[in-house]
Every structure is written in C-alpha cells, then in structure tokens.
Amino acid sequence: VHKDYPNILASNKSGYLSGYIVESKTDSATTVEEFAEFEEENFFKSVFNDLVRKCTGYGKKAIRLYLEGGISQVAELEPWNYAPFYSKTGELVGVMQWEQITDKVNNTSSQHKYRVSYTTTTEDLYFIADNKDGIVYFDSNNYPATVVDNLNLPDGVRPHGYSGVPVIEFKNNTDELGDVEKTLDSQDARDELLSKSSTTWGAFADVLFRDKTL
C-alpha cells in the first residue's frame, strides 16, 4: 500500500509556493519592464514551478543563462546531469554538464559516448568522452576552431558572453536534501502499518464469511 509521496509532496509545495509571484524592485522603470519581458519570454512561471518540484525531490536544481541573438535566454539544468564547483569562499567558479549521446552494445562489452561541457567565468569548453577507451577530447565536430571578433578560438572553446559563470543554483536547504528524502523512514513505517492493517482486516473478513456459510 504505497502512496506516491514524492509527487504529493512536490505538488503541494510547488502549488503553494507558485502562488507567490517573483518580484523585483529597483528605481529604474526600464529595468522592471525588461525583467518582466524576460520572465514572459522564458515562461518563468513554469520554470519556477518545476524548480520547486525538483528541489523538493532532489534537493537542488539550476538554471543556465545563454545569449541568443544578444538576448538572454534560460535553460534548465536537471539535478542529475550537472555538477557545480565552488571556491573556498563559496563563489561559483565552474559548472560541468553531461549528456549520453550513444549506447552501443557489442557482445558483453558496452560503449558509451558522452557530450560534456564545462562552463567557466568566461567561456564554455566542449568535450566528447568515450568510456570504452577512457578518452576525453575537445568536440571539434560541433565546435571547430574559428575566429570570433578577431579572436582565434581553438576546437571546443566558445565565449559565453557573460561576466561570471552564467548558472544560478537553487538549493532546497544547506544540506541539499529534498523534502522527500527526509521523510523516507516515516513513509516506510506508515506503509508497513497500512499494509498490516489491510491484511489483518482482510483475513478477519474472510474468517467471518466462512463462519456464516457454515
């Protein structure tokens, strides 16, 4: 008798917090308008709702800013495919992301290739990782060497256009624990009680039914 606790907790929390509108305050009316436009273009209400759900379940989630035609856009980073790196002072200095792009099985051995990127304060570094040979190399196919604004860019290197790491990480708490994880013991105990109760009453009802038929 197991209830979908993760979904229940995440739905309740996101439903409650999503009722609060994210507001910004500044003396510049132009900045307020630009931020409101940014929120609308990036469907920020939906982003915020999923942000709360993932933080509830996994303890953290992040969003990434990137430039497209000189305009900032938002990409969501799921908790299971990125790793942040902080300095001793707590400053975010880099973020690694990965994505499996092939899954080939030959006899008893498997070969996986991953697209890996590392974002620094000034640029994005793109790699291809092959777990079969243990090789990591710059992604020269998708990001070949080129010249941008009179700068020679080698394979797999692209400036992201921001001053600092364009990733914002949201943590559910200082321990980066989801609300679901904190209730696992209580969930198991409740499920056990409900299961035993259901089984006991079912057996009792069967006994009464048999007695009456006799």
mmCIF file of all heavy atoms in Angstrom, residues 15-48:
data_model
loop_
_atom_site.group_PDB
_atom_site.id
_atom_site.type_symbol
_atom_site.label_atom_id
_atom_site.label_comp_id
_atom_site.label_asym_id
_atom_site.label_seq_id
_atom_site.Cartn_x
_atom_site.Cartn_y
_atom_site.Cartn_z
ATOM 1 N N GLY A 15 2.675 23.923 -5.628
ATOM 2 C CA GLY A 15 1.390 24.616 -5.737
ATOM 3 C C GLY A 15 1.282 25.768 -4.762
ATOM 4 O O GLY A 15 0.734 26.822 -5.081
ATOM 5 N N TYR A 16 1.832 25.567 -3.563
ATOM 6 C CA TYR A 16 1.786 26.616 -2.542
ATOM 7 C C TYR A 16 2.726 27.765 -2.898
ATOM 8 O O TYR A 16 2.326 28.934 -2.908
ATOM 9 C CB TYR A 16 2.173 26.031 -1.188
ATOM 10 C CG TYR A 16 2.305 27.063 -0.091
ATOM 11 C CD1 TYR A 16 1.182 27.642 0.495
ATOM 12 C CD2 TYR A 16 3.560 27.471 0.353
ATOM 13 C CE1 TYR A 16 1.300 28.588 1.504
ATOM 14 C CE2 TYR A 16 3.691 28.422 1.363
ATOM 15 C CZ TYR A 16 2.565 28.977 1.927
ATOM 16 O OH TYR A 16 2.689 29.918 2.910
ATOM 17 N N LEU A 17 3.978 27.442 -3.215
ATOM 18 C CA LEU A 17 4.960 28.494 -3.488
ATOM 19 C C LEU A 17 4.716 29.186 -4.818
ATOM 20 O O LEU A 17 5.055 30.357 -4.984
ATOM 21 C CB LEU A 17 6.371 27.905 -3.467
ATOM 22 C CG LEU A 17 6.895 27.464 -2.094
ATOM 23 C CD1 LEU A 17 8.304 26.896 -2.225
ATOM 24 C CD2 LEU A 17 6.896 28.635 -1.118
ATOM 25 N N SER A 18 4.147 28.478 -5.773
ATOM 26 C CA SER A 18 3.896 29.091 -7.078
ATOM 27 C C SER A 18 2.830 30.171 -6.996
ATOM 28 O O SER A 18 2.662 30.957 -7.924
ATOM 29 C CB SER A 18 3.479 28.022 -8.093
ATOM 30 O OG SER A 18 4.536 27.130 -8.324
ATOM 31 N N GLY A 19 2.119 30.207 -5.887
ATOM 32 C CA GLY A 19 1.127 31.269 -5.706
ATOM 33 C C GLY A 19 1.769 32.602 -5.399
ATOM 34 O O GLY A 19 1.120 33.646 -5.473
ATOM 35 N N TYR A 20 3.062 32.571 -5.052
ATOM 36 C CA TYR A 20 3.796 33.797 -4.779
ATOM 37 C C TYR A 20 4.514 34.253 -6.049
ATOM 38 O O TYR A 20 5.273 33.498 -6.645
ATOM 39 C CB TYR A 20 4.814 33.588 -3.659
ATOM 40 C CG TYR A 20 4.179 33.374 -2.310
ATOM 41 C CD1 TYR A 20 3.842 32.092 -1.883
ATOM 42 C CD2 TYR A 20 3.912 34.451 -1.471
ATOM 43 C CE1 TYR A 20 3.252 31.889 -0.644
ATOM 44 C CE2 TYR A 20 3.323 34.250 -0.226
ATOM 45 C CZ TYR A 20 2.996 32.970 0.175
ATOM 46 O OH TYR A 20 2.413 32.776 1.391
ATOM 47 N N ILE A 21 4.262 35.463 -6.451
ATOM 48 C CA ILE A 21 4.856 35.988 -7.673
ATOM 49 C C ILE A 21 6.278 36.468 -7.383
ATOM 50 O O ILE A 21 6.528 37.156 -6.391
ATOM 51 C CB ILE A 21 4.024 37.161 -8.229
ATOM 52 C CG1 ILE A 21 2.588 36.694 -8.521
ATOM 53 C CG2 ILE A 21 4.663 37.733 -9.481
ATOM 54 C CD1 ILE A 21 1.678 37.807 -8.963
ATOM 55 N N VAL A 22 7.220 36.086 -8.257
ATOM 56 C CA VAL A 22 8.596 36.552 -8.116
ATOM 57 C C VAL A 22 8.644 38.026 -8.500
ATOM 58 O O VAL A 22 8.277 38.405 -9.611
ATOM 59 C CB VAL A 22 9.545 35.746 -9.023
ATOM 60 C CG1 VAL A 22 10.973 36.274 -8.898
ATOM 61 C CG2 VAL A 22 9.479 34.271 -8.657
ATOM 62 N N GLU A 23 9.057 38.873 -7.567
ATOM 63 C CA GLU A 23 9.066 40.306 -7.805
ATOM 64 C C GLU A 23 10.485 40.858 -7.749
ATOM 65 O O GLU A 23 11.354 40.320 -7.072
ATOM 66 C CB GLU A 23 8.199 41.022 -6.757
ATOM 67 C CG GLU A 23 6.731 40.646 -6.807
ATOM 68 C CD GLU A 23 5.918 41.408 -5.782
ATOM 69 O OE1 GLU A 23 6.541 42.083 -4.926
ATOM 70 O OE2 GLU A 23 4.693 41.348 -5.828
ATOM 71 N N SER A 24 10.696 41.922 -8.488
ATOM 72 C CA SER A 24 11.980 42.628 -8.446
ATOM 73 C C SER A 24 11.700 44.102 -8.168
ATOM 74 O O SER A 24 10.722 44.659 -8.658
ATOM 75 C CB SER A 24 12.715 42.479 -9.780
ATOM 76 O OG SER A 24 11.932 42.987 -10.845
ATOM 77 N N LYS A 25 12.566 44.709 -7.367
ATOM 78 C CA LYS A 25 12.391 46.110 -7.019
ATOM 79 C C LYS A 25 13.623 46.902 -7.410
ATOM 80 O O LYS A 25 14.752 46.516 -7.107
ATOM 81 C CB LYS A 25 12.128 46.247 -5.524
ATOM 82 C CG LYS A 25 10.806 45.624 -5.066
ATOM 83 C CD LYS A 25 10.583 45.846 -3.579
ATOM 84 C CE LYS A 25 9.257 45.228 -3.128
ATOM 85 N NZ LYS A 25 9.012 45.450 -1.685
ATOM 86 N N THR A 26 13.414 47.988 -8.089
ATOM 87 C CA THR A 26 14.501 48.869 -8.492
ATOM 88 C C THR A 26 13.923 50.245 -8.806
ATOM 89 O O THR A 26 12.725 50.381 -9.073
ATOM 90 C CB THR A 26 15.243 48.317 -9.726
ATOM 91 O OG1 THR A 26 16.240 49.250 -10.129
ATOM 92 C CG2 THR A 26 14.285 48.090 -10.875
ATOM 93 N N ASP A 27 14.758 51.235 -8.772
ATOM 94 C CA ASP A 27 14.304 52.593 -9.081
ATOM 95 C C ASP A 27 14.143 52.818 -10.580
ATOM 96 O O ASP A 27 13.548 53.809 -11.002
ATOM 97 C CB ASP A 27 15.313 53.613 -8.521
ATOM 98 C CG ASP A 27 15.342 53.589 -6.997
ATOM 99 O OD1 ASP A 27 14.313 53.212 -6.401
ATOM 100 O OD2 ASP A 27 16.397 53.922 -6.422
ATOM 101 N N SER A 28 14.689 51.894 -11.375
ATOM 102 C CA SER A 28 14.625 52.051 -12.823
ATOM 103 C C SER A 28 13.393 51.343 -13.383
ATOM 104 O O SER A 28 13.287 50.113 -13.343
ATOM 105 C CB SER A 28 15.893 51.480 -13.470
ATOM 106 O OG SER A 28 15.767 51.479 -14.873
ATOM 107 N N ALA A 29 12.455 52.121 -13.924
ATOM 108 C CA ALA A 29 11.251 51.542 -14.518
ATOM 109 C C ALA A 29 11.600 50.717 -15.747
ATOM 110 O O ALA A 29 10.958 49.699 -16.034
ATOM 111 C CB ALA A 29 10.267 52.654 -14.893
ATOM 112 N N THR A 30 12.628 51.135 -16.468
ATOM 113 C CA THR A 30 13.055 50.404 -17.666
ATOM 114 C C THR A 30 13.535 49.008 -17.302
ATOM 115 O O THR A 30 13.213 48.024 -17.976
ATOM 116 C CB THR A 30 14.186 51.159 -18.385
ATOM 117 O OG1 THR A 30 13.736 52.467 -18.717
ATOM 118 C CG2 THR A 30 14.591 50.423 -19.653
ATOM 119 N N THR A 31 14.297 48.907 -16.212
ATOM 120 C CA THR A 31 14.801 47.609 -15.763
ATOM 121 C C THR A 31 13.666 46.685 -15.372
ATOM 122 O O THR A 31 13.678 45.486 -15.679
ATOM 123 C CB THR A 31 15.760 47.792 -14.566
ATOM 124 O OG1 THR A 31 16.834 48.643 -14.952
ATOM 125 C CG2 THR A 31 16.310 46.451 -14.100
ATOM 126 N N VAL A 32 12.652 47.215 -14.697
ATOM 127 C CA VAL A 32 11.490 46.421 -14.301
ATOM 128 C C VAL A 32 10.781 45.883 -15.539
ATOM 129 O O VAL A 32 10.398 44.703 -15.592
ATOM 130 C CB VAL A 32 10.519 47.255 -13.446
ATOM 131 C CG1 VAL A 32 9.238 46.465 -13.181
ATOM 132 C CG2 VAL A 32 11.172 47.656 -12.133
ATOM 133 N N GLU A 33 10.611 46.726 -16.538
ATOM 134 C CA GLU A 33 9.948 46.299 -17.773
ATOM 135 C C GLU A 33 10.764 45.238 -18.496
ATOM 136 O O GLU A 33 10.214 44.255 -19.014
ATOM 137 C CB GLU A 33 9.733 47.515 -18.689
ATOM 138 C CG GLU A 33 8.727 48.518 -18.147
ATOM 139 C CD GLU A 33 8.615 49.739 -19.042
ATOM 140 O OE1 GLU A 33 9.325 49.776 -20.076
ATOM 141 O OE2 GLU A 33 7.829 50.646 -18.714
ATOM 142 N N GLU A 34 12.078 45.416 -18.521
ATOM 143 C CA GLU A 34 12.941 44.447 -19.193
ATOM 144 C C GLU A 34 12.897 43.096 -18.479
ATOM 145 O O GLU A 34 12.872 42.044 -19.125
ATOM 146 C CB GLU A 34 14.382 44.962 -19.244
ATOM 147 C CG GLU A 34 14.568 46.139 -20.185
ATOM 148 C CD GLU A 34 15.990 46.675 -20.155
ATOM 149 O OE1 GLU A 34 16.758 46.256 -19.239
ATOM 150 O OE2 GLU A 34 16.345 47.496 -21.031
ATOM 151 N N PHE A 35 12.880 43.133 -17.152
ATOM 152 C CA PHE A 35 12.831 41.881 -16.399
ATOM 153 C C PHE A 35 11.485 41.181 -16.586
ATOM 154 O O PHE A 35 11.417 39.953 -16.701
ATOM 155 C CB PHE A 35 13.081 42.141 -14.913
ATOM 156 C CG PHE A 35 13.234 40.893 -14.099
ATOM 157 C CD1 PHE A 35 14.397 40.143 -14.158
ATOM 158 C CD2 PHE A 35 12.200 40.463 -13.281
ATOM 159 C CE1 PHE A 35 14.534 38.971 -13.423
ATOM 160 C CE2 PHE A 35 12.333 39.293 -12.528
ATOM 161 C CZ PHE A 35 13.504 38.550 -12.603
ATOM 162 N N ALA A 36 10.411 41.952 -16.616
ATOM 163 C CA ALA A 36 9.080 41.377 -16.840
ATOM 164 C C ALA A 36 9.008 40.728 -18.221
ATOM 165 O O ALA A 36 8.429 39.641 -18.385
ATOM 166 C CB ALA A 36 8.017 42.466 -16.705
ATOM 167 N N GLU A 37 9.613 41.377 -19.201
ATOM 168 C CA GLU A 37 9.646 40.823 -20.560
ATOM 169 C C GLU A 37 10.480 39.542 -20.588
ATOM 170 O O GLU A 37 10.123 38.571 -21.247
ATOM 171 C CB GLU A 37 10.226 41.856 -21.525
ATOM 172 C CG GLU A 37 10.208 41.410 -22.973
ATOM 173 C CD GLU A 37 10.744 42.478 -23.913
ATOM 174 O OE1 GLU A 37 11.012 43.600 -23.438
ATOM 175 O OE2 GLU A 37 10.900 42.183 -25.100
ATOM 176 N N PHE A 38 11.602 39.561 -19.854
ATOM 177 C CA PHE A 38 12.465 38.382 -19.759
ATOM 178 C C PHE A 38 11.708 37.201 -19.155
ATOM 179 O O PHE A 38 11.798 36.062 -19.636
ATOM 180 C CB PHE A 38 13.686 38.728 -18.911
ATOM 181 C CG PHE A 38 14.538 37.552 -18.521
ATOM 182 C CD1 PHE A 38 15.450 37.013 -19.420
ATOM 183 C CD2 PHE A 38 14.422 36.985 -17.253
ATOM 184 C CE1 PHE A 38 16.236 35.923 -19.060
ATOM 185 C CE2 PHE A 38 15.205 35.897 -16.891
ATOM 186 C CZ PHE A 38 16.109 35.372 -17.793
ATOM 187 N N GLU A 39 10.940 37.454 -18.093
ATOM 188 C CA GLU A 39 10.152 36.401 -17.452
ATOM 189 C C GLU A 39 9.120 35.819 -18.403
ATOM 190 O O GLU A 39 8.932 34.605 -18.485
ATOM 191 C CB GLU A 39 9.441 36.946 -16.214
ATOM 192 C CG GLU A 39 10.332 37.176 -15.019
ATOM 193 C CD GLU A 39 9.526 37.633 -13.820
ATOM 194 O OE1 GLU A 39 8.649 38.519 -13.974
ATOM 195 O OE2 GLU A 39 9.747 37.098 -12.731
ATOM 196 N N GLU A 40 8.441 36.707 -19.133
ATOM 197 C CA GLU A 40 7.381 36.255 -20.035
ATOM 198 C C GLU A 40 7.953 35.446 -21.197
ATOM 199 O O GLU A 40 7.407 34.394 -21.564
ATOM 200 C CB GLU A 40 6.618 37.469 -20.571
ATOM 201 C CG GLU A 40 5.441 37.097 -21.461
ATOM 202 C CD GLU A 40 4.655 38.310 -21.920
ATOM 203 O OE1 GLU A 40 4.990 39.439 -21.474
ATOM 204 O OE2 GLU A 40 3.717 38.137 -22.716
ATOM 205 N N GLU A 41 9.049 35.903 -21.780
ATOM 206 C CA GLU A 41 9.643 35.217 -22.927
ATOM 207 C C GLU A 41 10.176 33.835 -22.553
ATOM 208 O O GLU A 41 10.199 32.929 -23.385
ATOM 209 C CB GLU A 41 10.780 36.055 -23.512
ATOM 210 C CG GLU A 41 10.320 37.315 -24.218
ATOM 211 C CD GLU A 41 11.475 38.141 -24.745
ATOM 212 O OE1 GLU A 41 12.637 37.831 -24.366
ATOM 213 O OE2 GLU A 41 11.237 39.077 -25.524
ATOM 214 N N ASN A 42 10.594 33.676 -21.305
ATOM 215 C CA ASN A 42 11.173 32.409 -20.872
ATOM 216 C C ASN A 42 10.216 31.555 -20.046
ATOM 217 O O ASN A 42 10.642 30.577 -19.424
ATOM 218 C CB ASN A 42 12.447 32.673 -20.061
ATOM 219 C CG ASN A 42 13.590 33.165 -20.916
ATOM 220 O OD1 ASN A 42 14.259 32.389 -21.601
ATOM 221 N ND2 ASN A 42 13.825 34.475 -20.893
ATOM 222 N N PHE A 43 8.922 31.912 -20.057
ATOM 223 C CA PHE A 43 7.897 31.142 -19.340
ATOM 224 C C PHE A 43 8.349 30.866 -17.907
ATOM 225 O O PHE A 43 8.372 29.724 -17.437
ATOM 226 C CB PHE A 43 7.619 29.830 -20.070
ATOM 227 C CG PHE A 43 7.265 30.011 -21.519
ATOM 228 C CD1 PHE A 43 8.210 29.810 -22.512
ATOM 229 C CD2 PHE A 43 5.987 30.415 -21.895
ATOM 230 C CE1 PHE A 43 7.894 29.989 -23.841
ATOM 231 C CE2 PHE A 43 5.658 30.593 -23.234
ATOM 232 C CZ PHE A 43 6.622 30.378 -24.211
ATOM 233 N N PHE A 44 8.721 31.945 -17.208
ATOM 234 C CA PHE A 44 9.371 31.787 -15.916
ATOM 235 C C PHE A 44 8.458 31.180 -14.861
ATOM 236 O O PHE A 44 8.930 30.540 -13.909
ATOM 237 C CB PHE A 44 9.912 33.135 -15.430
ATOM 238 C CG PHE A 44 11.068 33.008 -14.496
ATOM 239 C CD1 PHE A 44 12.333 32.705 -14.985
ATOM 240 C CD2 PHE A 44 10.905 33.151 -13.128
ATOM 241 C CE1 PHE A 44 13.404 32.566 -14.129
ATOM 242 C CE2 PHE A 44 11.974 33.019 -12.262
ATOM 243 C CZ PHE A 44 13.225 32.721 -12.763
ATOM 244 N N LYS A 45 7.137 31.341 -14.979
ATOM 245 C CA LYS A 45 6.225 30.720 -14.019
ATOM 246 C C LYS A 45 6.357 29.207 -14.076
ATOM 247 O O LYS A 45 6.380 28.531 -13.040
ATOM 248 C CB LYS A 45 4.782 31.148 -14.309
ATOM 249 C CG LYS A 45 4.473 32.578 -13.919
ATOM 250 C CD LYS A 45 2.999 32.893 -14.131
ATOM 251 C CE LYS A 45 2.686 34.319 -13.695
ATOM 252 N NZ LYS A 45 1.242 34.655 -13.900
ATOM 253 N N SER A 46 6.442 28.667 -15.296
ATOM 254 C CA SER A 46 6.610 27.228 -15.458
ATOM 255 C C SER A 46 7.976 26.787 -14.968
ATOM 256 O O SER A 46 8.117 25.737 -14.318
ATOM 257 C CB SER A 46 6.436 26.842 -16.935
ATOM 258 O OG SER A 46 6.687 25.470 -17.133
ATOM 259 N N VAL A 47 8.998 27.584 -15.264
ATOM 260 C CA VAL A 47 10.355 27.279 -14.815
ATOM 261 C C VAL A 47 10.417 27.247 -13.286
ATOM 262 O O VAL A 47 11.005 26.350 -12.685
ATOM 263 C CB VAL A 47 11.364 28.312 -15.365
ATOM 264 C CG1 VAL A 47 12.740 28.112 -14.738
ATOM 265 C CG2 VAL A 47 11.458 28.208 -16.884
ATOM 266 N N PHE A 48 9.793 28.237 -12.651
ATOM 267 C CA PHE A 48 9.797 28.327 -11.193
ATOM 268 C C PHE A 48 9.056 27.148 -10.569
ATOM 269 O O PHE A 48 9.489 26.578 -9.564
ATOM 270 C CB PHE A 48 9.164 29.644 -10.753
ATOM 271 C CG PHE A 48 9.106 29.822 -9.261
ATOM 272 C CD1 PHE A 48 10.262 30.037 -8.525
ATOM 273 C CD2 PHE A 48 7.900 29.779 -8.584
ATOM 274 C CE1 PHE A 48 10.221 30.190 -7.149
ATOM 275 C CE2 PHE A 48 7.844 29.939 -7.212
ATOM 276 C CZ PHE A 48 9.015 30.145 -6.498
#
